[in-house]
Amino acid sequence: DVKVTQSSRYLVKRTGEKVFLECVQDMDHENMFWYRQDPGLGLRLIYFSYDVKMKEKGDIPEGYSVSREKKERFSLILESASTNQTSMYLCASSLSLRRAELDEQFFGPGTRLTVL
Amino acid sequence: AQSVTQLDSHVSVSEGTPVLLRCNYSSSYSPSLFWYVQHPNKGLQLLLKYTSAATLVKGINGFEAEFKKSETSFHLTKPSAHMSDAAEYFCVVSREWGYQKVTFGTGTKLQVIP
């Protein structure tokens, strides 16, 4: 089974802190994604990575950055946390970019971040 | 741009009655479509996937969906609801052919009444 793990289930941080959210997948997937999930808004894509050191902005990248130094690990960084970044953060992975068929995404359990 | 609209934010059914969760999509080409389910305090899981092979798609746990191009719809159905079906369901559409980014709908919460 594909497993996507996230470093924390719950996290509480203060405004202005730098926050790191870690995601690891164990199936050699090329694509990794960071989403945030808010009630009534569904999942919104923050950043997408299709290979090591390669990244692409999603729909709401402002206030976030990412790092992918190894294929299995994709980190989301909040440079200076703000209260409007309080949310559920979901990491996902999928097999490959270079396929005509759209691959299923496998999701981690999520990190519920509260910024005070 | 590709988009999906989930027509109901909440649906409530009695156990043993049919389930219908509605999804309409907008796409400039023939899209791939998914339904994902999220049980309380759990990660998202794929229910089923349409990629143009067959218009009626069967998924896990007795769910199915029918792709109707003329109606631009991809509604999710199940003949008989079970208590364990209570969850949030997301309709998802591909963005560009051959490209792995997708767009999620805003979700439908299904309540099953005993």
Side-chain angles (χ1 to χ4, degrees), chain A residues 19-76:
Chain A
V19 181
F20 293 87
L21 302 182
E22 304 285 336
C23 175
V24 178
Q25 51 94 3
D26 67 357
M27 281 301 291
D28 204 34
H29 283 176
E30 292 188 11
N31 305 315
M32 295 188 76
F33 308 80
W34 274 107
Y35 295 92
R36 65 178 280 177
Q37 181 179 12
D38 300 288
L41 297 178
L43 275 71
R44 293 178 292 166
L45 181 65
I46 305 171
Y47 266 98
F48 163 54
S49 170
Y50 50 92
D51 203 347
V52 174
K53 296 191 188 293
M54 305 305 288
K55 62 187 178 186
E56 192 172 303
K57 290 181 179 179
D59 301 314
I60 51 164
E62 297 78 20
Y64 303 95
S65 62
V66 291
S67 171
R68 193 162 178 207
E69 297 296 321
K70 293 186 177 181
K71 191 174 185 180
E72 67 272 17
R73 188 178 297 269
F74 191 35
S75 302
L76 180 69

Tab-separated table of all heavy atoms in Angstrom, chain A residues 19-76:
chain	number	residue	atom	x	y	z
A	19	VAL	N	7.194	28.032	10.125
A	19	VAL	CA	6.593	26.720	10.355
A	19	VAL	C	6.988	25.771	9.231
A	19	VAL	O	6.942	26.144	8.046
A	19	VAL	CB	5.051	26.826	10.416
A	19	VAL	CG1	4.430	25.451	10.683
A	19	VAL	CG2	4.619	27.831	11.474
A	20	PHE	N	7.370	24.567	9.601
A	20	PHE	CA	7.714	23.535	8.627
A	20	PHE	C	6.730	22.377	8.757
A	20	PHE	O	6.562	21.823	9.835
A	20	PHE	CB	9.132	22.999	8.892
A	20	PHE	CG	10.220	23.995	8.657
A	20	PHE	CD1	10.613	24.863	9.658
A	20	PHE	CD2	10.859	24.057	7.423
A	20	PHE	CE1	11.624	25.786	9.446
A	20	PHE	CE2	11.880	24.978	7.201
A	20	PHE	CZ	12.261	25.841	8.213
A	21	LEU	N	6.125	22.019	7.639
A	21	LEU	CA	5.278	20.828	7.586
A	21	LEU	C	5.962	19.832	6.651
A	21	LEU	O	6.298	20.172	5.516
A	21	LEU	CB	3.881	21.164	7.061
A	21	LEU	CG	3.091	22.228	7.839
A	21	LEU	CD1	1.716	22.406	7.224
A	21	LEU	CD2	2.974	21.870	9.304
A	22	GLU	N	6.147	18.620	7.169
A	22	GLU	CA	6.885	17.617	6.410
A	22	GLU	C	5.951	16.535	5.902
A	22	GLU	O	5.020	16.116	6.585
A	22	GLU	CB	7.950	16.969	7.298
A	22	GLU	CG	8.925	17.934	7.932
A	22	GLU	CD	9.942	18.463	6.937
A	22	GLU	OE1	10.185	17.783	5.921
A	22	GLU	OE2	10.464	19.561	7.158
A	23	CYS	N	6.253	16.037	4.724
A	23	CYS	CA	5.476	14.960	4.111
A	23	CYS	C	6.438	13.956	3.485
A	23	CYS	O	7.384	14.351	2.787
A	23	CYS	CB	4.553	15.545	3.041
A	23	CYS	SG	3.623	14.321	2.106
A	24	VAL	N	6.186	12.691	3.725
A	24	VAL	CA	7.020	11.627	3.167
A	24	VAL	C	6.132	10.571	2.530
A	24	VAL	O	5.137	10.156	3.123
A	24	VAL	CB	7.889	10.972	4.263
A	24	VAL	CG1	8.714	9.829	3.685
A	24	VAL	CG2	8.797	11.999	4.911
A	25	GLN	N	6.496	10.157	1.313
A	25	GLN	CA	5.785	9.050	0.649
A	25	GLN	C	6.781	7.933	0.351
A	25	GLN	O	7.951	8.193	0.102
A	25	GLN	CB	5.075	9.535	-0.626
A	25	GLN	CG	5.929	10.311	-1.593
A	25	GLN	CD	6.559	9.498	-2.695
A	25	GLN	OE1	6.341	8.292	-2.821
A	25	GLN	NE2	7.359	10.151	-3.527
A	26	ASP	N	6.250	6.703	0.377
A	26	ASP	CA	7.152	5.551	0.302
A	26	ASP	C	6.994	4.740	-0.975
A	26	ASP	O	7.414	3.587	-1.035
A	26	ASP	CB	6.951	4.661	1.532
A	26	ASP	CG	5.581	3.993	1.564
A	26	ASP	OD1	4.767	4.256	0.655
A	26	ASP	OD2	5.319	3.221	2.507
A	27	MET	N	6.364	5.326	-2.019
A	27	MET	CA	6.110	4.533	-3.227
A	27	MET	C	6.826	5.067	-4.462
A	27	MET	O	6.421	4.789	-5.578
A	27	MET	CB	4.603	4.450	-3.485
A	27	MET	CG	3.917	3.437	-2.604
A	27	MET	SD	4.569	1.755	-2.801
A	27	MET	CE	3.991	1.361	-4.446
A	28	ASP	N	7.854	5.862	-4.279
A	28	ASP	CA	8.650	6.331	-5.410
A	28	ASP	C	7.833	7.169	-6.396
A	28	ASP	O	8.087	7.160	-7.601
A	28	ASP	CB	9.289	5.124	-6.142
A	28	ASP	CG	10.531	5.532	-6.919
A	28	ASP	OD1	11.260	6.434	-6.455
A	28	ASP	OD2	10.753	4.955	-8.002
A	29	HIS	N	6.842	7.857	-5.894
A	29	HIS	CA	6.025	8.712	-6.745
A	29	HIS	C	6.796	9.955	-7.169
A	29	HIS	O	7.560	10.526	-6.384
A	29	HIS	CB	4.755	9.139	-6.006
A	29	HIS	CG	3.724	8.063	-5.956
A	29	HIS	ND1	2.534	8.214	-5.261
A	29	HIS	CD2	3.660	6.834	-6.509
A	29	HIS	CE1	1.807	7.135	-5.410
A	29	HIS	NE2	2.468	6.266	-6.149
A	30	GLU	N	6.566	10.381	-8.408
A	30	GLU	CA	7.246	11.578	-8.895
A	30	GLU	C	6.562	12.867	-8.446
A	30	GLU	O	7.215	13.871	-8.198
A	30	GLU	CB	7.311	11.545	-10.424
A	30	GLU	CG	8.214	10.453	-10.949
A	30	GLU	CD	8.425	10.530	-12.447
A	30	GLU	OE1	8.048	11.545	-13.048
A	30	GLU	OE2	8.988	9.575	-13.003
A	31	ASN	N	5.227	12.837	-8.382
A	31	ASN	CA	4.480	14.052	-8.073
A	31	ASN	C	4.129	14.131	-6.605
A	31	ASN	O	3.714	13.137	-5.999
A	31	ASN	CB	3.163	14.073	-8.852
A	31	ASN	CG	3.367	13.921	-10.334
A	31	ASN	OD1	4.232	14.556	-10.914
A	31	ASN	ND2	2.570	13.065	-10.949
A	32	MET	N	4.272	15.320	-6.054
A	32	MET	CA	3.793	15.558	-4.698
A	32	MET	C	3.097	16.908	-4.660
A	32	MET	O	3.422	17.823	-5.429
A	32	MET	CB	4.939	15.494	-3.687
A	32	MET	CG	5.561	14.091	-3.611
A	32	MET	SD	6.749	13.872	-2.297
A	32	MET	CE	5.671	13.734	-0.860
A	33	PHE	N	2.109	16.999	-3.758
A	33	PHE	CA	1.220	18.152	-3.706
A	33	PHE	C	1.017	18.597	-2.261
A	33	PHE	O	0.971	17.764	-1.362
A	33	PHE	CB	-0.173	17.782	-4.253
A	33	PHE	CG	-0.190	17.137	-5.611
A	33	PHE	CD1	0.086	15.781	-5.758
A	33	PHE	CD2	-0.516	17.869	-6.736
A	33	PHE	CE1	0.056	15.179	-6.999
A	33	PHE	CE2	-0.560	17.277	-7.991
A	33	PHE	CZ	-0.272	15.929	-8.127
A	34	TRP	N	0.834	19.890	-2.086
A	34	TRP	CA	0.346	20.430	-0.810
A	34	TRP	C	-0.955	21.179	-1.065
A	34	TRP	O	-1.037	22.041	-1.956
A	34	TRP	CB	1.345	21.397	-0.176
A	34	TRP	CG	2.382	20.706	0.653
A	34	TRP	CD1	3.688	20.523	0.359
A	34	TRP	CD2	2.192	20.126	1.955
A	34	TRP	NE1	4.332	19.856	1.366
A	34	TRP	CE2	3.433	19.598	2.365
A	34	TRP	CE3	1.090	19.997	2.815
A	34	TRP	CZ2	3.612	18.961	3.599
A	34	TRP	CZ3	1.261	19.365	4.020
A	34	TRP	CH2	2.511	18.856	4.405
A	35	TYR	N	-1.964	20.819	-0.262
A	35	TYR	CA	-3.266	21.478	-0.304
A	35	TYR	C	-3.590	22.027	1.079
A	35	TYR	O	-3.116	21.517	2.084
A	35	TYR	CB	-4.376	20.463	-0.626
A	35	TYR	CG	-4.327	19.812	-1.988
A	35	TYR	CD1	-3.654	18.605	-2.181
A	35	TYR	CD2	-4.997	20.368	-3.072
A	35	TYR	CE1	-3.639	17.989	-3.425
A	35	TYR	CE2	-4.993	19.752	-4.323
A	35	TYR	CZ	-4.307	18.564	-4.478
A	35	TYR	OH	-4.300	17.948	-5.712
A	36	ARG	N	-4.474	23.014	1.076
A	36	ARG	CA	-5.113	23.357	2.341
A	36	ARG	C	-6.615	23.142	2.178
A	36	ARG	O	-7.170	23.349	1.089
A	36	ARG	CB	-4.796	24.760	2.826
A	36	ARG	CG	-5.267	25.917	2.008
A	36	ARG	CD	-4.913	27.247	2.661
A	36	ARG	NE	-5.844	27.603	3.739
A	36	ARG	CZ	-5.731	28.684	4.510
A	36	ARG	NH1	-4.703	29.504	4.347
A	36	ARG	NH2	-6.617	28.936	5.453
A	37	GLN	N	-7.214	22.665	3.275
A	37	GLN	CA	-8.637	22.350	3.262
A	37	GLN	C	-9.351	23.218	4.276
A	37	GLN	O	-9.029	23.190	5.461
A	37	GLN	CB	-8.872	20.865	3.594
A	37	GLN	CG	-10.331	20.478	3.569
A	37	GLN	CD	-10.568	19.016	3.880
A	37	GLN	OE1	-9.665	18.292	4.333
A	37	GLN	NE2	-11.773	18.534	3.626
A	38	ASP	N	-10.314	23.992	3.808
A	38	ASP	CA	-11.114	24.860	4.660
A	38	ASP	C	-12.587	24.572	4.426
A	38	ASP	O	-12.993	24.299	3.289
A	38	ASP	CB	-10.808	26.334	4.364
A	38	ASP	CG	-9.353	26.677	4.605
A	38	ASP	OD1	-8.969	26.722	5.788
A	38	ASP	OD2	-8.601	26.862	3.631
A	39	PRO	N	-13.405	24.634	5.481
A	39	PRO	CA	-14.836	24.323	5.337
A	39	PRO	C	-15.494	25.147	4.240
A	39	PRO	O	-15.331	26.366	4.177
A	39	PRO	CB	-15.397	24.681	6.718
A	39	PRO	CG	-14.248	24.548	7.646
A	39	PRO	CD	-13.047	24.979	6.862
A	40	GLY	N	-16.221	24.457	3.378
A	40	GLY	CA	-16.949	25.142	2.310
A	40	GLY	C	-16.113	25.520	1.105
A	40	GLY	O	-16.655	25.994	0.104
A	41	LEU	N	-14.810	25.312	1.192
A	41	LEU	CA	-13.924	25.691	0.076
A	41	LEU	C	-13.278	24.486	-0.582
A	41	LEU	O	-12.564	24.634	-1.586
A	41	LEU	CB	-12.835	26.651	0.567
A	41	LEU	CG	-13.312	27.996	1.099
A	41	LEU	CD1	-12.128	28.827	1.588
A	41	LEU	CD2	-14.093	28.756	0.030
A	42	GLY	N	-13.462	23.323	-0.045
A	42	GLY	CA	-12.828	22.136	-0.608
A	42	GLY	C	-11.326	22.171	-0.381
A	42	GLY	O	-10.838	22.751	0.587
A	43	LEU	N	-10.602	21.529	-1.280
A	43	LEU	CA	-9.138	21.523	-1.208
A	43	LEU	C	-8.596	22.500	-2.243
A	43	LEU	O	-9.013	22.475	-3.405
A	43	LEU	CB	-8.589	20.130	-1.518
A	43	LEU	CG	-8.520	19.139	-0.381
A	43	LEU	CD1	-9.897	18.674	0.044
A	43	LEU	CD2	-7.645	17.957	-0.761
A	44	ARG	N	-7.664	23.328	-1.837
A	44	ARG	CA	-7.030	24.280	-2.753
A	44	ARG	C	-5.538	23.991	-2.822
A	44	ARG	O	-4.892	23.812	-1.779
A	44	ARG	CB	-7.297	25.706	-2.287
A	44	ARG	CG	-8.771	26.109	-2.391
A	44	ARG	CD	-8.985	27.520	-1.858
A	44	ARG	NE	-8.778	27.595	-0.423
A	44	ARG	CZ	-8.642	28.737	0.244
A	44	ARG	NH1	-8.654	29.897	-0.405
A	44	ARG	NH2	-8.481	28.721	1.554
A	45	LEU	N	-5.017	23.965	-4.028
A	45	LEU	CA	-3.629	23.598	-4.246
A	45	LEU	C	-2.705	24.758	-3.901
A	45	LEU	O	-2.854	25.863	-4.431
A	45	LEU	CB	-3.432	23.179	-5.706
A	45	LEU	CG	-2.051	22.729	-6.112
A	45	LEU	CD1	-1.660	21.438	-5.369
A	45	LEU	CD2	-1.982	22.517	-7.623
A	46	ILE	N	-1.727	24.475	-3.047
A	46	ILE	CA	-0.759	25.497	-2.668
A	46	ILE	C	0.464	25.419	-3.581
A	46	ILE	O	0.863	26.392	-4.214
A	46	ILE	CB	-0.322	25.337	-1.195
A	46	ILE	CG1	-1.536	25.341	-0.263
A	46	ILE	CG2	0.652	26.454	-0.800
A	46	ILE	CD1	-1.199	24.980	1.181
A	47	TYR	N	1.073	24.237	-3.621
A	47	TYR	CA	2.241	23.988	-4.455
A	47	TYR	C	2.223	22.552	-4.947
A	47	TYR	O	1.626	21.665	-4.337
A	47	TYR	CB	3.544	24.217	-3.665
A	47	TYR	CG	4.151	25.588	-3.803
A	47	TYR	CD1	3.929	26.548	-2.819
A	47	TYR	CD2	4.958	25.920	-4.893
A	47	TYR	CE1	4.484	27.820	-2.929
A	47	TYR	CE2	5.516	27.186	-5.009
A	47	TYR	CZ	5.278	28.133	-4.025
A	47	TYR	OH	5.830	29.388	-4.124
A	48	PHE	N	2.945	22.344	-6.008
A	48	PHE	CA	3.035	21.056	-6.678
A	48	PHE	C	4.505	20.836	-7.047
A	48	PHE	O	5.189	21.782	-7.449
A	48	PHE	CB	2.127	21.133	-7.901
A	48	PHE	CG	2.337	20.098	-8.952
A	48	PHE	CD1	2.321	18.747	-8.650
A	48	PHE	CD2	2.501	20.470	-10.279
A	48	PHE	CE1	2.475	17.795	-9.632
A	48	PHE	CE2	2.652	19.517	-11.270
A	48	PHE	CZ	2.642	18.187	-10.948
A	49	SER	N	4.982	19.600	-6.882
A	49	SER	CA	6.337	19.272	-7.304
A	49	SER	C	6.288	18.038	-8.195
A	49	SER	O	5.668	17.042	-7.824
A	49	SER	CB	7.228	19.001	-6.092
A	49	SER	OG	8.469	18.465	-6.501
A	50	TYR	N	6.940	18.076	-9.341
A	50	TYR	CA	6.911	16.955	-10.264
A	50	TYR	C	8.240	16.227	-10.355
A	50	TYR	O	8.401	15.301	-11.148
A	50	TYR	CB	6.429	17.396	-11.644
A	50	TYR	CG	7.142	18.609	-12.186
A	50	TYR	CD1	8.268	18.470	-12.988
A	50	TYR	CD2	6.670	19.888	-11.913
A	50	TYR	CE1	8.918	19.577	-13.498
A	50	TYR	CE2	7.325	21.004	-12.409
A	50	TYR	CZ	8.440	20.845	-13.198
A	50	TYR	OH	9.079	21.940	-13.689
A	51	ASP	N	9.226	16.683	-9.571
A	51	ASP	CA	10.516	16.009	-9.547
A	51	ASP	C	11.343	16.656	-8.434
A	51	ASP	O	10.996	17.740	-7.936
A	51	ASP	CB	11.222	16.164	-10.892
A	51	ASP	CG	12.258	15.082	-11.149
A	51	ASP	OD1	12.617	14.348	-10.197
A	51	ASP	OD2	12.721	14.960	-12.293
A	52	VAL	N	12.438	16.025	-8.114
A	52	VAL	CA	13.319	16.602	-7.094
A	52	VAL	C	13.753	18.000	-7.539
A	52	VAL	O	14.121	18.209	-8.696
A	52	VAL	CB	14.552	15.693	-6.892
A	52	VAL	CG1	15.553	16.339	-5.946
A	52	VAL	CG2	14.113	14.351	-6.351
A	53	LYS	N	13.667	18.922	-6.613
A	53	LYS	CA	14.040	20.327	-6.813
A	53	LYS	C	13.137	21.070	-7.811
A	53	LYS	O	13.384	22.245	-8.106
A	53	LYS	CB	15.502	20.464	-7.252
A	53	LYS	CG	16.501	19.977	-6.208
A	53	LYS	CD	17.916	20.369	-6.575
A	53	LYS	CE	18.928	19.728	-5.637
A	53	LYS	NZ	18.822	20.241	-4.261
A	54	MET	N	12.113	20.420	-8.336
A	54	MET	CA	11.210	21.082	-9.273
A	54	MET	C	9.897	21.379	-8.553
A	54	MET	O	9.353	20.520	-7.857
A	54	MET	CB	10.941	20.195	-10.488
A	54	MET	CG	12.191	19.738	-11.204
A	54	MET	SD	13.268	21.091	-11.698
A	54	MET	CE	12.306	21.801	-13.024
A	55	LYS	N	9.388	22.576	-8.737
A	55	LYS	CA	8.154	22.962	-8.074
A	55	LYS	C	7.374	23.903	-8.971
A	55	LYS	O	7.932	24.538	-9.881
A	55	LYS	CB	8.452	23.625	-6.731
A	55	LYS	CG	9.258	24.913	-6.877
A	55	LYS	CD	9.676	25.455	-5.532
A	55	LYS	CE	10.519	26.712	-5.738
A	55	LYS	NZ	11.073	27.225	-4.461
A	56	GLU	N	6.105	23.974	-8.670
A	56	GLU	CA	5.238	24.851	-9.440
A	56	GLU	C	4.197	25.426	-8.501
A	56	GLU	O	3.656	24.714	-7.646
A	56	GLU	CB	4.555	24.022	-10.537
A	56	GLU	CG	3.844	24.827	-11.590
A	56	GLU	CD	3.376	23.928	-12.714
A	56	GLU	OE1	4.199	23.229	-13.331
A	56	GLU	OE2	2.150	23.925	-12.969
A	57	LYS	N	3.913	26.692	-8.641
A	57	LYS	CA	2.902	27.308	-7.795
A	57	LYS	C	1.527	26.751	-8.118
A	57	LYS	O	1.209	26.463	-9.276
A	57	LYS	CB	2.891	28.822	-8.001
A	57	LYS	CG	4.120	29.519	-7.444
A	57	LYS	CD	4.038	31.016	-7.669
A	57	LYS	CE	5.267	31.701	-7.094
A	57	LYS	NZ	5.244	33.171	-7.323
A	58	GLY	N	0.740	26.628	-7.067
A	58	GLY	CA	-0.646	26.240	-7.246
A	58	GLY	C	-1.540	27.460	-7.290
A	58	GLY	O	-1.157	28.519	-7.797
A	59	ASP	N	-2.712	27.335	-6.712
A	59	ASP	CA	-3.707	28.413	-6.778
A	59	ASP	C	-3.537	29.459	-5.679
A	59	ASP	O	-3.926	30.606	-5.849
A	59	ASP	CB	-5.111	27.807	-6.684
A	59	ASP	CG	-5.354	26.811	-7.802
A	59	ASP	OD1	-5.024	27.131	-8.951
A	59	ASP	OD2	-5.870	25.711	-7.510
A	60	ILE	N	-2.954	29.061	-4.566
A	60	ILE	CA	-2.835	29.977	-3.413
A	60	ILE	C	-1.435	29.896	-2.804
A	60	ILE	O	-1.268	29.575	-1.636
A	60	ILE	CB	-3.919	29.692	-2.350
A	60	ILE	CG1	-3.947	28.197	-1.969
A	60	ILE	CG2	-5.289	30.133	-2.832
A	60	ILE	CD1	-4.696	27.916	-0.694
A	61	PRO	N	-0.377	30.239	-3.540
A	61	PRO	CA	0.979	30.083	-3.023
A	61	PRO	C	1.447	31.202	-2.089
A	61	PRO	O	2.483	31.037	-1.416
A	61	PRO	CB	1.817	30.090	-4.298
A	61	PRO	CG	1.042	30.996	-5.220
A	61	PRO	CD	-0.412	30.730	-4.912
A	62	GLU	N	0.713	32.279	-2.011
A	62	GLU	CA	1.192	33.441	-1.247
A	62	GLU	C	1.356	33.089	0.231
A	62	GLU	O	0.455	32.551	0.854
A	62	GLU	CB	0.203	34.604	-1.390
A	62	GLU	CG	0.039	35.135	-2.810
A	62	GLU	CD	-0.856	34.258	-3.677
A	62	GLU	OE1	-1.644	33.459	-3.115
A	62	GLU	OE2	-0.772	34.358	-4.908
A	63	GLY	N	2.532	33.417	0.753
A	63	GLY	CA	2.812	33.158	2.166
A	63	GLY	C	3.419	31.798	2.427
A	63	GLY	O	3.719	31.458	3.576
A	64	TYR	N	3.587	31.002	1.352
A	64	TYR	CA	4.131	29.648	1.479
A	64	TYR	C	5.325	29.459	0.558
A	64	TYR	O	5.439	30.127	-0.467
A	64	TYR	CB	3.074	28.609	1.083
A	64	TYR	CG	1.781	28.669	1.852
A	64	TYR	CD1	0.679	29.380	1.346
A	64	TYR	CD2	1.640	28.006	3.066
A	64	TYR	CE1	-0.515	29.436	2.038
A	64	TYR	CE2	0.438	28.044	3.765
A	64	TYR	CZ	-0.626	28.764	3.240
A	64	TYR	OH	-1.812	28.810	3.933
A	65	SER	N	6.193	28.553	0.924
A	65	SER	CA	7.226	28.075	0.024
A	65	SER	C	7.350	26.572	0.234
A	65	SER	O	6.774	26.024	1.178
A	65	SER	CB	8.561	28.773	0.260
A	65	SER	OG	9.026	28.514	1.579
A	66	VAL	N	8.083	25.906	-0.647
A	66	VAL	CA	8.239	24.453	-0.552
A	66	VAL	C	9.686	24.072	-0.829
A	66	VAL	O	10.459	24.841	-1.397
A	66	VAL	CB	7.304	23.690	-1.521
A	66	VAL	CG1	5.855	23.813	-1.109
A	66	VAL	CG2	7.533	24.144	-2.948
A	67	SER	N	9.986	22.844	-0.431
A	67	SER	CA	11.312	22.310	-0.678
A	67	SER	C	11.180	20.829	-0.985
A	67	SER	O	10.485	20.099	-0.269
A	67	SER	CB	12.188	22.513	0.553
A	67	SER	OG	13.421	21.834	0.419
A	68	ARG	N	11.881	20.401	-2.031
A	68	ARG	CA	11.922	18.965	-2.346
A	68	ARG	C	13.360	18.612	-2.719
A	68	ARG	O	13.745	18.671	-3.870
A	68	ARG	CB	10.965	18.603	-3.464
A	68	ARG	CG	10.779	17.091	-3.567
A	68	ARG	CD	9.565	16.732	-4.320
A	68	ARG	NE	9.415	15.298	-4.445
A	68	ARG	CZ	8.763	14.724	-5.443
A	68	ARG	NH1	8.209	15.464	-6.395
A	68	ARG	NH2	8.645	13.415	-5.479
A	69	GLU	N	14.109	18.211	-1.713
A	69	GLU	CA	15.510	17.847	-1.885
A	69	GLU	C	15.682	16.354	-2.169
A	69	GLU	O	16.678	15.943	-2.758
A	69	GLU	CB	16.302	18.228	-0.631
A	69	GLU	CG	16.318	19.728	-0.360
A	69	GLU	CD	17.027	20.489	-1.456
A	69	GLU	OE1	18.056	20.011	-1.968
A	69	GLU	OE2	16.540	21.584	-1.829
A	70	LYS	N	14.718	15.564	-1.736
A	70	LYS	CA	14.729	14.124	-2.005
A	70	LYS	C	13.374	13.740	-2.584
A	70	LYS	O	12.352	14.379	-2.274
A	70	LYS	CB	14.983	13.334	-0.729
A	70	LYS	CG	16.375	13.529	-0.169
A	70	LYS	CD	16.610	12.606	1.021
A	70	LYS	CE	18.026	12.755	1.530
A	70	LYS	NZ	18.294	11.851	2.663
A	71	LYS	N	13.360	12.710	-3.376
A	71	LYS	CA	12.139	12.337	-4.082
A	71	LYS	C	10.999	12.038	-3.131
A	71	LYS	O	9.842	12.336	-3.409
A	71	LYS	CB	12.420	11.116	-4.971
A	71	LYS	CG	11.317	10.791	-5.947
A	71	LYS	CD	11.751	9.677	-6.876
A	71	LYS	CE	10.706	9.429	-7.949
A	71	LYS	NZ	11.137	8.343	-8.869
A	72	GLU	N	11.299	11.409	-1.998
A	72	GLU	CA	10.238	10.953	-1.118
A	72	GLU	C	9.724	12.034	-0.162
A	72	GLU	O	8.731	11.821	0.523
A	72	GLU	CB	10.712	9.750	-0.302
A	72	GLU	CG	11.803	10.042	0.718
A	72	GLU	CD	13.205	9.933	0.143
A	72	GLU	OE1	13.341	9.941	-1.108
A	72	GLU	OE2	14.144	9.846	0.951
A	73	ARG	N	10.369	13.173	-0.103
A	73	ARG	CA	10.042	14.165	0.929
A	73	ARG	C	9.694	15.515	0.315
A	73	ARG	O	10.433	16.030	-0.541
A	73	ARG	CB	11.246	14.310	1.869
A	73	ARG	CG	11.010	15.143	3.086
A	73	ARG	CD	12.271	15.168	3.953
A	73	ARG	NE	12.599	13.829	4.437
A	73	ARG	CZ	12.179	13.314	5.580
A	73	ARG	NH1	11.414	14.036	6.382
A	73	ARG	NH2	12.534	12.100	5.931
A	74	PHE	N	8.596	16.088	0.788
A	74	PHE	CA	8.133	17.381	0.269
A	74	PHE	C	7.726	18.230	1.461
A	74	PHE	O	6.825	17.833	2.218
A	74	PHE	CB	6.952	17.147	-0.679
A	74	PHE	CG	6.528	18.338	-1.494
A	74	PHE	CD1	7.445	19.262	-1.964
A	74	PHE	CD2	5.201	18.502	-1.851
A	74	PHE	CE1	7.056	20.339	-2.747
A	74	PHE	CE2	4.791	19.576	-2.643
A	74	PHE	CZ	5.719	20.481	-3.088
A	75	SER	N	8.392	19.348	1.636
A	75	SER	CA	8.160	20.184	2.808
A	75	SER	C	7.426	21.461	2.421
A	75	SER	O	7.724	22.064	1.390
A	75	SER	CB	9.499	20.557	3.454
A	75	SER	OG	10.212	19.396	3.810
A	76	LEU	N	6.507	21.838	3.269
A	76	LEU	CA	5.792	23.107	3.122
A	76	LEU	C	6.281	24.035	4.217
A	76	LEU	O	6.342	23.641	5.383
A	76	LEU	CB	4.284	22.894	3.244
A	76	LEU	CG	3.411	24.141	3.121
A	76	LEU	CD1	3.439	24.669	1.680
A	76	LEU	CD2	1.972	23.840	3.539
